[in-house]
Amino acid sequence: MLSRPKPGESEEDLLNFQNQFLAARASPAVKIVKKADKRRGEDGNADAERLPLQDCKDVVMLDDFPDIVPALTPAPPKKSKIKSACVHFEDEDPEERLESHDEHITAVFSKIIERDTSAVAVTIPVPTGDPFPRTFHRSEIKSEVKVGSGRKSIFAQKMAARRAAEKATTAPSAAECVQIRSAGPDALDPEGSAGGAPLPSIRDDKAGDFLTSQRPCLITGEGLGSQKSEQEAQAIHRENLEKLQSMSEEEILQEQKRLLAQLDSSLVAFLKSRCGGNEGQKKDLKMEQNRLEEFVESLPVAEHGVGSCLSMQESGLEESVRKEENMKVEITDDDLPVKPKKEWIHMDNVEFEKLEWMKDLPSPRQKKTKKGMQARFSLKGELIPADADLPTHLGLHHHGEEAERAGYSLQELFHLSRSQVIQQRTLALQVLGRIVQKARTGEFASSLKGSILRLLLDAGFLFLLRFSLDDAVDNVMAASVGALRALLVSLDDEKYLDWTFSWYQGMAAFPFVPNNEEEEEELNGTEKSQDKKLKDENKPDPDVARYDVVKGLLKTRIQHRLRYILEVVRPVPTVVLDILHILTHIARHSSEACSQLLDCPRLIETIVREFLPTQWDPQVAEPGCLLTSLHGVACATAMKFIRVLASGGRNATARLLNRFEMKSRLSRFIAEDPLDLLLPREEAIRLSIEAFRLWAVAAGYGQACDLYRDLYPVLVRILQSLPELLSACHRKSPMIELFVQRATAVVTLLIHVTQTAGYAAELQAKLSSSEDSEQIPPPPVAWNQVSGLQPFLETSLKKFLQEISQTETWQTLQPLTTTYLIYLGVYYSACSQQPSVNPIDCLEELERLTSEVLQPLLSQPAICSMWDLLRPCSALCNPLSCSPAPESVFSIASLSCTGGKPPLSLVGSKSPFPFLTALLFLINSITHIHKGLTSKYSSVLGFRGLKDYLHQSWQTGPPSVTPSSAWILRHEYHLQYFVLALAQRMAGTCPDYTQHASLHHCVAMALLSRLLPGSEHLVYEVLLDLAFNPEFLPEAKAGGPEAADFSDILHLGTSAKLAQPGSAAAFFSKGTRGALLRESYQNLPFIRSCYLSHFAHLQPTLMRSQASYQGRNYLVQSMLLPEVKGPILPSDWLFFPLISLYNKVTNAETRGAVLNSLPLDLVNTVTWNLQWVLLLETWRAKTLQSIPTAAKLARLMCVFLTGSDLFLEVPIHRYTAALLSVYCQPKALDSLNLDAPLPGLASFHDLYISLLEQFEGVSFGDPLFGVFVLLPLQKRFSVHLRLSVFGEHTSILRALGVPLQQFPVPLERYTSPPEDNLNLLRLYFRTLVTGALRPTWCPVLYVVAVTHVNSFIFSQDRTMQETDAARKSMLRKTWLLVDETLKKHLLYYRLLNAESPLGFDLYEQLPATRLKYLQTVTQKETENAPALVS
């Protein structure tokens, strides 16, 4: 075995080792592998595969020499030539090596064309005595010479100065120039032929000097290729000037416009730039301008206008050049903060342009301009005015664009946020967060154009924050969290949601899901939600975030990142609070978002462990203690997050209480008085408030009621201390508002515990019986455990109500008093249902409460003033009060409103709505249990403020549905419902109630089309007890039917003929409109059952809504209401049975089923629907104003489109005719607009085509059906409707026999203005001539066609040649008609006359003008014809 070299051995030893290795012929231990050349893309053994060099030379065949260089595609890649040519042999010829690489001569040479140098002047070198040209040094050139403008080096300036000096020495002298100019125009043309004589008007010396001194600016003549090129250019220029002088000003301007229109815009810009491109041209421009002004003065008056025009254009150009020069300010020593000295090296010649950056910034523009400027912000996020002159030491001038302006634009902040410098990234994110915060409060609404939030989101601000959130630097992470909190969370929204938490049904809230109609698909129920969820999963994150920011963030798994920051990074308290706010906003989004937060590993565990501990450092409570970390300290914001998370559903609440041990936390923070908690006093009270609210949410599901038994002493102690709040309020304690909020949360908890205990006996009875399949265990709290708290609350209520006249005290205590009233209403509703309670005792308690508490309260002047405040604070009466804020974006749900929420608003501090709603709820509960007390509260409906509010609210259109408006209006609708419910009880007991019935019925009808999702129970109650209640239609008993008949007889509203158009069922149709109204009034119970049965599809949502409103907590699934996309019922809900029947029949016929006869219940359904519509159109017409007349007619057309003979049923025919008479009144016809899009209808044209086809098949010539066909053919509607009748469905003209005396629409609506559609006029004429349209078959359209054709053929207005030829041809054809009757009607038509059998009057003899025109057009035909006589 060969030995290896060792240290210390010499080179001879190494050589011996090498010889031994070679002699042994052993294989080397290391193998040398040659790497591939990446640039060549070859293997390691590419040398072996390289082609040998070609030894043969290229043979050039000149005959086949190509004119075009062969295309080198693909281009040869760049290769290393050193590698292949690094080794050469001594005997190798370099020429042969070069020739071997020459593949073709065209690789070097192409077709060569010699340049034409015949016109180039040959300059002979100046002879000198030196053998070589003399060199020069730049120091010899005068430095004072300045040429050109722009930034040039010193050497370039010296060379330019030298060239300028050489040109000056070779240029002709001034005297020579004068001689050339005085030679006249002929001197410019040596041959003297082409120039021509000068114009007679140009004889002055000045004028001749002007013409001869002019030189072309653009044409130099270099490309003409001859020695006379310059003279040719001068001749062309002279001809141009002569041509201009021979033209007037108007001709010059016209020719200029023509040239500008023909030339390319880029070419025009180039030509204009040539006019003032350099300094020499500017000087020439000035000289020529002076000569031009002198020459213009010598022109005659007729030519002076052209001169002035040219002068304006040239002066405008000079002005623009002057502006550009003014922009470049010369820099001197005085402008520089550091004065350069000549002793400094290389500073003997100072280049001021290179020192420009050292000078002071120019002052910002002071004058205001209409042009928008880029917004710039300070480091505090404040908008800096454009003319603000701030010092540079503030750090607001570190940007390139608009360097003189202070502040940073959004684009610059975006750029800075991606900097590699940590401080810059942090600063940019902080500033952006402050800008967003101020923008959401509306600070920039009046100063900036557009929305900052929309601009930022479109620019990707959301994902900029998301990327920054993943930064490893704590400061960047904290800044991104703060900016994200500013973007998502509105502290005002959280404040008002907490404020309304204890209102009636205030615990339930709408989810913060943006209302995006673009993303909605036409699916139903579960299929819709599943398909939408699948669609969102397949979408990219930016697309999802574009219409829903929270959903987009959840798709980026932001909850995992926030958990990591809380658990591992453990940031400062401010960042922790921001994260908790962000998580709270996400939890408000939807139940799905709550589930994702609960499913995030260790997120809830971390929050509960770190921010809701049962023990913490007592030093936190010491005054002046500065928290450096919030970890390990109880936090009210964390408790609020848990409470909002629990509102997402009963399952989420169960997980929080059991898995995450929130029950023990509740006991810990509720059992101990907040003043004894080792926390700052305010934080301790807030923590106690949120603990009670969380318990109230759990009790709202019937959960955590076992804590009630354990903490009962604590609750009793708190209730005993509630009267002390009154004295604290008088002392104006600084914490009084927080203590009132805590007491309100306690009473809210008792409300839900009482509701849960109220159904304990019922659930126990169901559990004992084996009939019920679904066994729900009763709650762990019984009625006898909660009934003992009522005396405490009633006593406290009496004391607080005594302070109602004290404004400040009452404003502080009003939230607590509101919850007292709600508690009493819930208590007595549950008490009356308890089998263990004596009903008589309950009724006596209600009588005592009425006489001792409520009746004295209603007589208070303060209560009267509250009713007066309803209208100013109402969102319905003031729609702008709940309109979205200017900076609202559709992808982020917010409760912000324009103008905020002032005290006099529905959720303002002075709003009477929460207290009055609770009072009405209590009164309704009492009157529902004890109906004998109803009359005691009759004064409630008599308050003038309430009546004014109701009258204004139903007449004003509701605001558009947005997250803010839906949240506010829901509370206002509660008050209206309780007023109507009280009115329903008053209607049967109080004899003087009739005076309010009409008002309350109008409010009920308006409320039905406004109630939002989640209030299905209220819709059901209004339909059941109010809408169809005969007591709310007093007109039926007060002579309403007779008044309708009398109106028809006197033709007040419409003609009597409208009520009953003749038909196949005319024999049975002898009832008047009054009789129909009486019959409809008697059928109100059947009408109510009809509508209730057709709203059965709302049953699932109705069950969920009833569970919430009736206090069945064991059935409540979530405190989040359904998503809001609009009201529960559409505005045209009164047509719903008819539309439902039409859809059912249409779908059956689509599947191939044939409905020969309709069941009796369907006939009754349509009849009841028409009866209800007739009642409303007659006595409640104003409540239907929101439905367009065209939509009503389209719904009525479904009567004819459903089945084949449904419209021939006697009752249906009668009521349809009666409704038609209503819709044919003048006001209704004026409001009819068939061209506008109709709700629920894709295309009226398609519906009308279906109506025409149905009329052709099953009409049997029914005049009522015919009127519906004729109504859309009025002249002001689309011409396509008339074309479809006279073009594609002419067969219906034979059956459209509506008599003129029974047609309810004036014919003037069909004949005025005259028809101008040539195709339709030809169709009119064709149907008349062919006999398809006759007065006996279709009298209405016959009159219309004759009127339009007569107006057309005798029209002598100037029009297009085609139209004129058509009317003359039509007149000739009319003259040649064989049918004398039609010919007479067309020629002698005079005007409409409804009393005439024909519908129009005829001339006895044609007027002279018409006769003359007729003879002119039909001259050939009239030569042998007799005179025209009638």
Side-chain angles (χ1 to χ4, degrees):
M1 182 175 178
L2 298 174
S3 60
R4 293 179 177 274
K6 298 178 181 179
E9 294 180 345
S10 62
E11 293 184 0
E12 294 181 357
D13 297 331
L14 294 177
L15 289 175
N16 293 331
F17 285 135
Q18 179 181 355
N19 294 333
Q20 294 176 6
F21 175 77
L22 294 176
R25 296 185 178 182
S27 59
V30 179
K31 182 180 180 181
I32 299 175
V33 178
K34 190 175 184 181
K35 290 186 177 180
D37 190 350
K38 295 181 180 179
R39 292 169 295 177
R40 295 171 58 92
E42 299 173 349
D43 300 336
N45 56 352
D47 293 338
E49 299 178 359
R50 188 179 299 125
L51 296 175
L53 297 176
Q54 298 179 1
D55 295 332
C56 57
K57 298 181 180 180
D58 289 333
V59 179
V60 180
M61 303 297 294
L62 296 180
D63 294 337
D64 298 331
F65 187 82
D67 294 336
I68 303 174
V69 181
L72 297 175
T73 54
K78 291 185 178 181
K79 300 179 181 179
S80 175
K81 297 182 180 179
I82 302 175
K83 181 179 179 181
S84 59
C86 58
V87 179
H88 299 292
F89 298 98
E90 294 180 357
D91 57 348
E92 185 177 0
D93 189 3
E95 183 179 359
E96 293 180 357
R97 193 168 64 251
L98 289 175
E99 291 289 347
S100 64
H101 292 281
D102 246 353
E103 297 183 359
H104 199 273
I105 194 173
T106 56
V108 181
F109 295 111
S110 61
K111 189 174 182 179
I112 301 173
I113 301 177
E114 188 177 2
R115 182 168 62 90
D116 183 11
T117 58
S118 58
V120 178
V122 180
T123 58
I124 302 175
V126 179
T128 60
D130 300 328
F132 293 99
R134 180 177 175 272
T135 59
F136 68 94
H137 193 269
R138 63 189 177 101
S139 60
E140 301 175 7
I141 303 173
K142 296 181 180 180
S143 59
E144 289 79 7
V145 181
K146 294 183 179 180
V147 293
S149 63
R151 301 187 177 184
K152 294 183 179 181
S153 63
I154 296 179
F155 180 78
Q157 294 178 14
K158 295 287 186 180
M159 294 300 295
R162 180 174 179 272
R163 294 193 190 97
E166 290 178 354
K167 289 182 180 179
T169 56
T170 58
S173 62
E176 295 174 348
C177 293
V178 172
Q179 293 176 0
I180 294 174
R181 288 170 183 165
S182 62
D186 294 336
L188 295 176
D189 191 357
E191 298 180 10
S193 57
L199 294 176
S201 60
I202 307 178
R203 297 293 186 186
D204 199 306
D205 293 339
K206 295 179 181 179
D209 183 64
F210 168 73
L211 288 175
T212 56
S213 63
Q214 282 283 335
R215 292 180 298 172
C217 299
L218 299 176
I219 304 174
T220 59
E222 293 181 0
L224 295 179
S226 64
Q227 297 180 356
K228 305 176 183 178
S229 58
E230 187 175 354
Q231 289 81 355
E232 290 292 337
Q234 286 293 91
I236 294 173
H237 182 62
R238 186 169 60 253
E239 291 178 6
N240 292 338
L241 292 177
E242 294 173 358
K243 179 67 175 177
L244 284 174
Q245 290 181 4
S246 64
M247 298 171 65
S248 64
E249 181 180 0
E250 291 77 7
E251 291 174 345
I252 290 178
L253 294 177
Q254 185 177 1
E255 189 67 19
Q256 182 186 25
K257 292 180 181 178
R258 186 182 67 81
L259 289 174
L260 290 176
Q262 294 177 352
L263 294 177
D264 186 15
S265 58
S266 60
L267 180 59
V268 173
F270 167 72
L271 295 177
K272 289 182 178 180
S273 66
R274 293 277 297 184
C275 294
N278 51 40
E279 195 69 30
Q281 290 176 345
K282 295 175 189 174
K283 293 179 180 179
D284 292 342
L285 175 64
K286 186 67 178 177
M287 296 171 60
E288 302 298 344
Q289 179 69 26
N290 296 334
R291 286 194 292 268
L292 179 62
E293 293 175 356
E294 297 174 359
F295 171 63
V296 167
E297 295 175 357
S298 64
L299 290 177
V301 178
E303 296 178 291
H304 190 75
V306 182
S308 62
C309 178
L310 291 172
S311 175
M312 289 168 58
Q313 294 176 2
E314 298 291 341
S315 62
L317 176 62
E318 182 182 6
E319 184 179 359
S320 65
V321 173
R322 192 183 303 115
K323 288 180 179 180
E324 292 180 0
E325 289 179 347
N326 292 338
M327 293 292 291
K328 299 178 181 179
V329 183
E330 292 292 337
I331 306 173
T332 61
D333 292 346
D334 298 335
D335 297 331
L336 299 179
V338 179
K339 313 301 182 192
K341 299 180 181 179
K342 292 185 178 181
E343 293 79 11
W344 297 351
I345 188 171
H346 297 312
M347 293 300 289
D348 48 350
N349 288 326
V350 181
E351 300 180 69
F352 290 103
E353 293 179 354
K354 296 183 179 179
L355 301 177
E356 185 179 0
W357 63 273
M358 296 179 60
K359 71 173 185 177
D360 293 335
L361 291 174
S363 59
R365 183 168 53 186
Q366 299 294 333
K367 295 181 180 180
K368 294 184 178 180
T369 176
K370 294 182 179 180
K371 185 178 179 182
M373 301 183 66
Q374 193 174 33
R376 294 193 172 274
F377 302 90
S378 68
L379 299 182
K380 296 181 179 179
E382 299 170 347
L383 182 65
I384 299 179
D387 54 352
D389 191 4
L390 300 179
T392 56
H393 71 270
L394 298 178
L396 301 176
H397 294 80
H398 298 285
H399 50 83
E401 295 182 0
E402 301 177 323
E404 69 278 4
R405 289 189 57 195
Y408 300 97
S409 64
L410 296 178
Q411 182 180 1
E412 292 164 352
L413 290 173
F414 260 68
H415 182 71
L416 195 65
S417 66
R418 306 310 297 165
S419 170
Q420 293 184 357
V421 181
I422 297 174
Q423 291 82 353
Q424 291 181 348
R425 295 205 305 272
T426 305
L427 180 64
L429 292 172
Q430 289 174 346
V431 175
L432 286 171
R434 293 168 188 149
I435 293 173
V436 170
Q437 184 71 35
K438 295 180 181 298
R440 293 202 65 174
T441 58
E443 290 190 19
F444 307 139
S446 59
S447 304
L448 297 181
K449 182 180 180 181
S451 170
I452 286 185
L453 293 185
R454 294 192 189 97
L455 181 64
L456 287 173
L457 290 176
D458 292 342
F461 179 59
L462 181 67
F463 288 93
L464 170 66
L465 298 181
R466 183 63 185 89
F467 299 151
S468 302
L469 203 62
D470 293 336
D471 202 302
V473 181
D474 292 352
N475 289 342
V476 177
M477 195 185 308
S480 60
V481 168
L484 187 61
R485 196 269 305 162
L487 178 66
L488 293 180
V489 182
S490 172
L491 297 181
D492 286 342
D493 292 355
E494 295 296 330
K495 170 187 173 183
Y496 286 109
L497 285 170
D498 294 342
W499 170 257
T500 60
F501 181 83
S502 297
W503 288 16
Y504 177 76
Q505 292 289 321
M507 190 182 298
F510 291 107
F512 277 19
V513 178
N515 185 10
N516 300 287
E517 298 179 358
E518 301 176 358
E519 297 296 325
E520 292 302 318
E521 300 177 355
E522 297 182 0
L523 299 172
N524 294 322
T526 309
E527 179 185 358
K528 178 178 180 178
S529 60
Q530 291 178 353
D531 192 83
K532 185 179 180 182
K533 183 177 180 181
L534 182 63
K535 182 180 178 182
D536 290 339
E537 290 178 355
N538 297 331
K539 276 187 175 182
D541 298 349
D543 292 346
V544 175
R546 187 173 295 114
Y547 68 87
D548 194 333
V549 167
V550 173
K551 189 178 291 186
L553 287 174
L554 288 174
K555 208 165 182 298
T556 64
R557 298 167 64 86
I558 189 175
Q559 66 272 27
H560 297 268
R561 181 59 183 174
L562 296 179
R563 188 272 311 161
Y564 174 83
I565 296 175
L566 291 176
E567 183 182 20
V568 179
V569 180
R570 302 172 71 88
V572 295
T574 305
V575 179
V576 171
L577 293 176
D578 287 343
I579 291 177
L580 292 175
H581 282 305
I582 293 172
L583 292 174
T584 303
H585 181 84
I586 293 175
R588 291 193 184 276
H589 178 269
S590 60
S591 298
E592 292 79 7
C594 294
S595 300
Q596 293 190 44
L597 293 179
L598 283 169
D599 295 338
C600 179
R602 302 194 309 281
L603 174 62
I604 307 301
E605 292 94 328
T606 301
I607 293 176
V608 173
R609 181 183 67 251
E610 298 291 346
F611 309 113
L612 292 174
T614 56
Q615 295 179 354
W616 56 87
D617 189 356
Q619 294 182 355
V620 174
E622 294 179 2
C625 177
L626 182 62
L627 277 178
T628 58
S629 176
L630 203 58
H631 288 70
V633 181
C635 175
T637 308
M639 184 66 77
K640 179 180 178 179
F641 164 66
I642 298 297
R643 185 252 297 178
V644 174
L645 197 61
S647 301
R650 62 185 306 112
N651 294 332
T653 305
R655 292 176 63 181
L656 289 171
L657 293 176
N658 300 318
R659 179 181 173 185
F660 299 107
E661 301 178 354
M662 284 307 301
K663 276 189 179 182
S664 60
R665 263 68 178 180
L666 286 177
S667 302
R668 167 70 176 86
F669 299 119
I670 288 176
E672 191 171 0
D673 190 272
L675 300 180
D676 298 333
L677 286 175
L678 297 178
L679 287 172
R681 189 175 182 184
E682 182 177 350
E683 181 69 12
I685 299 175
R686 293 186 184 278
L687 180 60
S688 179
I689 293 171
E690 291 302 332
F692 276 109
R693 286 175 178 169
L694 173 59
W695 191 8
V697 171
Y701 299 120
Q703 300 177 6
C705 291
D706 52 343
L707 291 177
Y708 177 80
R709 294 176 301 183
D710 301 335
L711 299 176
Y712 185 79
V714 177
L715 296 175
V716 172
R717 186 176 66 249
I718 294 175
L719 294 180
Q720 290 174 343
S721 66
L722 290 182
E724 299 176 2
L725 292 176
L726 189 59
S727 59
C729 189
H730 290 157
R731 296 194 308 267
K732 296 183 180 180
S733 174
M735 296 290 178
I736 183 60
E737 291 188 1
L738 290 177
F739 281 111
V740 170
Q741 290 183 26
R742 179 171 179 264
T744 303
V746 173
V747 179
T748 305
L749 164 67
L750 296 179
I751 290 173
H752 291 281
V753 172
T754 304
Q755 287 178 336
T756 303
Y759 288 96
E762 179 182 340
L763 292 177
Q764 185 64 43
K766 289 183 179 181
L767 188 62
S768 302
S769 64
S770 58
E771 298 177 359
D772 193 359
S773 59
E774 184 180 0
Q775 301 293 335
I776 300 178
V781 57
W783 178 254
N784 57 1
Q785 295 173 338
V786 299
S787 59
L789 300 181
Q790 184 264 343
F792 293 102
L793 297 173
E794 185 174 341
T795 304
S796 181
L797 173 65
K798 292 178 182 179
K799 291 184 178 180
F800 288 173
L801 289 179
Q802 294 174 1
E803 303 292 328
I804 194 171
S805 58
Q806 306 296 326
T807 306
E808 294 184 6
T809 306
W810 174 252
Q811 188 171 342
T812 304
L813 298 176
Q814 179 180 332
L816 182 55
T817 313
T818 300
T819 54
Y820 283 162
L821 296 176
I822 298 174
Y823 170 81
L824 291 178
V826 169
Y827 174 81
Y828 285 112
S829 296
C831 181
S832 63
Q833 300 175 3
Q834 300 304 314
S836 60
V837 176
N838 188 355
I840 298 178
D841 295 341
C842 181
L843 296 179
E844 290 178 352
E845 285 189 22
L846 293 177
E847 293 174 357
R848 180 187 53 79
L849 180 67
T850 300
S851 59
E852 295 180 3
V853 180
L854 298 181
Q855 281 190 324
L857 175 65
L858 293 174
S859 61
Q860 292 276 353
I863 288 293
C864 184
S865 63
M866 283 189 183
W867 296 110
D868 294 335
L869 285 176
L870 284 177
R871 185 171 174 179
C873 296
S874 167
L876 287 174
C877 300
N878 307 282
L880 295 179
S881 64
C882 58
S883 58
E887 283 290 348
S888 297
V889 289
F890 67 90
S891 57
I892 302 177
S894 174
L895 305 182
S896 302
C897 302
T898 302
K901 299 176 179 63
L904 283 180
S905 62
L906 196 140
V907 292
S909 58
K910 296 182 180 180
S911 173
F913 275 91
F915 179 78
L916 293 181
T917 302
L919 178 62
L920 289 170
F921 169 68
L922 175 58
I923 294 174
N924 273 279
S925 301
I926 294 174
T927 54
H928 177 72
I929 301 168
H930 195 328
K931 294 181 174 56
L933 296 177
T934 304
S935 59
K936 301 287 186 181
Y937 299 100
S938 59
S939 61
V940 173
L941 301 180
F943 283 107
R944 183 173 183 82
L946 176 62
K947 290 190 291 186
D948 292 343
Y949 160 71
L950 293 177
H951 185 75
Q952 178 71 19
S953 66
W954 77 266
Q955 289 186 336
T956 306
S960 58
V961 177
T962 61
S964 57
S965 65
W967 169 65
I968 292 175
L969 291 174
R970 179 171 177 266
H971 295 291
E972 184 165 359
Y973 294 154
H974 287 158
L975 181 135
Q976 291 191 353
Y977 168 74
F978 288 130
V979 171
L980 296 176
L982 182 60
Q984 184 265 332
R985 296 188 177 92
M986 294 284 184
T989 57
C990 300
D992 57 344
Y993 169 74
T994 309
Q995 57 181 335
H996 308 300
S998 298
L999 172 62
H1000 293 157
H1001 193 250
C1002 290
V1003 175
M1005 297 304 300
L1007 186 62
L1008 272 177
S1009 59
R1010 294 176 177 178
L1011 285 171
L1012 300 171
S1015 301
E1016 289 81 6
H1017 171 67
L1018 304 185
V1019 173
Y1020 177 78
E1021 292 294 327
V1022 173
L1023 287 173
L1024 185 66
D1025 298 328
L1026 297 167
F1028 305 100
N1029 193 333
E1031 300 294 335
F1032 285 88
L1033 290 170
E1035 292 85 354
K1037 298 178 181 179
E1042 291 78 7
D1045 288 340
F1046 192 66
S1047 174
D1048 291 343
I1049 293 173
L1050 295 180
H1051 306 274
L1052 293 179
T1054 178
S1055 176
K1057 67 183 179 181
L1058 303 183
Q1060 299 298 331
S1063 67
F1067 178 77
F1068 304 97
S1069 304
K1070 295 184 179 179
T1072 61
R1073 188 152 64 106
L1076 297 178
L1077 289 172
R1078 276 190 292 268
E1079 183 182 0
S1080 302
Y1081 180 78
Q1082 294 171 358
N1083 289 336
L1084 278 176
F1086 302 104
I1087 296 174
R1088 180 183 64 178
S1089 61
C1090 171
Y1091 277 88
L1092 289 176
S1093 63
H1094 277 83
F1095 290 132
H1097 65 282
L1098 299 175
Q1099 188 67 24
T1101 55
L1102 175 62
M1103 297 296 294
R1104 291 194 291 268
S1105 179
Q1106 284 180 340
S1108 176
Y1109 279 97
Q1110 294 177 356
R1112 298 179 179 270
N1113 296 340
Y1114 59 92
L1115 296 177
V1116 176
Q1117 298 299 319
S1118 175
M1119 295 298 172
L1120 289 179
L1121 299 170
E1123 296 182 25
V1124 181
K1125 297 178 177 60
I1128 300 172
L1129 299 182
S1131 59
D1132 59 344
W1133 63 268
L1134 63 160
F1135 292 98
F1136 188 80
L1138 182 58
I1139 298 173
S1140 177
L1141 176 60
Y1142 166 73
N1143 292 333
K1144 186 184 301 182
V1145 173
T1146 304
N1147 294 336
E1149 293 177 350
T1150 303
R1151 293 192 297 267
V1154 179
L1155 299 178
N1156 296 322
S1157 62
L1158 296 174
L1160 180 61
D1161 58 339
L1162 295 184
V1163 176
N1164 291 335
T1165 297
V1166 177
T1167 304
W1168 292 331
N1169 193 165
L1170 297 176
Q1171 287 176 344
W1172 178 238
V1173 176
L1174 180 63
L1175 284 174
L1176 294 181
E1177 289 288 0
T1178 305
W1179 293 331
R1180 297 289 180 267
K1182 290 185 178 181
T1183 61
L1184 305 181
Q1185 288 179 348
S1186 60
I1187 310 175
T1189 307
K1192 298 176 183 177
L1193 278 176
R1195 271 61 174 174
L1196 275 186
M1197 287 179 181
C1198 295
V1199 173
F1200 303 96
L1201 295 174
T1202 302
S1204 57
D1205 57 352
L1206 178 65
F1207 68 96
L1208 294 177
E1209 297 290 337
V1210 176
I1212 294 176
H1213 198 280
R1214 290 165 56 194
Y1215 285 100
T1216 306
L1219 285 173
L1220 178 64
S1221 67
V1222 174
Y1223 298 142
C1224 288
Q1225 294 178 0
K1227 289 184 179 180
L1229 290 175
D1230 292 339
S1231 64
L1232 184 62
N1233 185 9
L1234 300 179
D1235 298 331
L1238 301 178
L1241 191 63
S1243 169
F1244 182 83
H1245 182 270
D1246 296 342
L1247 178 69
Y1248 186 69
I1249 296 299
S1250 302
L1251 189 70
L1252 293 180
E1253 295 172 352
Q1254 187 80 349
F1255 184 85
E1256 289 176 336
V1258 300
S1259 69
F1260 303 107
D1262 181 68
L1264 179 62
F1265 201 162
V1267 173
F1268 277 88
V1269 173
L1270 291 172
L1271 269 177
L1273 299 181
Q1274 299 177 44
K1275 178 62 178 65
R1276 61 193 182 97
F1277 299 139
S1278 174
V1279 69
H1280 297 289
L1281 300 176
R1282 301 189 290 279
L1283 287 172
S1284 59
V1285 172
F1286 285 90
E1288 303 171 3
H1289 299 85
T1290 54
S1291 59
I1292 70 170
L1293 298 176
R1294 188 179 182 90
L1296 206 54
V1298 182
L1300 290 172
Q1301 292 73 21
Q1302 294 184 4
F1303 189 58
V1305 184
L1307 291 176
E1308 288 79 8
R1309 294 182 178 270
Y1310 294 82
T1311 60
S1312 179
E1315 185 60 63
D1316 55 357
N1317 188 283
L1318 188 57
N1319 293 331
L1320 182 57
L1321 287 166
R1322 287 170 175 166
L1323 291 176
Y1324 281 157
F1325 188 71
R1326 187 183 70 180
T1327 53
L1328 289 171
V1329 171
T1330 58
L1333 182 60
R1334 300 180 184 180
T1336 55
W1337 292 349
C1338 186
V1340 175
L1341 292 184
Y1342 182 82
V1343 174
V1344 174
V1346 168
T1347 303
H1348 285 301
V1349 172
N1350 175 269
S1351 175
F1352 178 67
I1353 60 179
F1354 283 108
S1355 173
Q1356 301 181 34
D1357 299 335
R1358 297 185 62 181
T1359 183
M1360 297 175 58
Q1361 183 176 0
E1362 180 186 3
T1363 306
D1364 184 64
R1367 67 186 176 190
K1368 290 181 178 179
S1369 173
M1370 198 176 294
L1371 182 57
R1372 295 190 191 99
K1373 293 178 181 178
T1374 305
W1375 174 248
L1376 298 175
L1377 280 176
V1378 179
D1379 188 348
E1380 293 296 332
T1381 304
L1382 178 61
K1383 177 180 178 181
K1384 183 179 180 180
H1385 291 170
L1386 291 177
L1387 294 178
Y1388 288 88
Y1389 171 86
R1390 184 177 183 180
L1391 50 83
L1392 294 174
N1393 184 5
E1395 304 299 329
S1396 172
L1398 289 174
F1400 53 85
D1401 293 336
L1402 297 174
Y1403 284 109
E1404 295 182 359
Q1405 188 172 359
L1406 278 180
T1409 54
R1410 288 196 174 190
L1411 181 61
K1412 182 179 180 180
Y1413 178 72
L1414 177 63
Q1415 291 174 351
T1416 303
V1417 174
T1418 61
Q1419 185 175 3
K1420 295 181 180 180
E1421 288 79 359
T1422 56
E1423 291 178 355
N1424 302 322
L1428 287 170
V1429 230
S1430 164

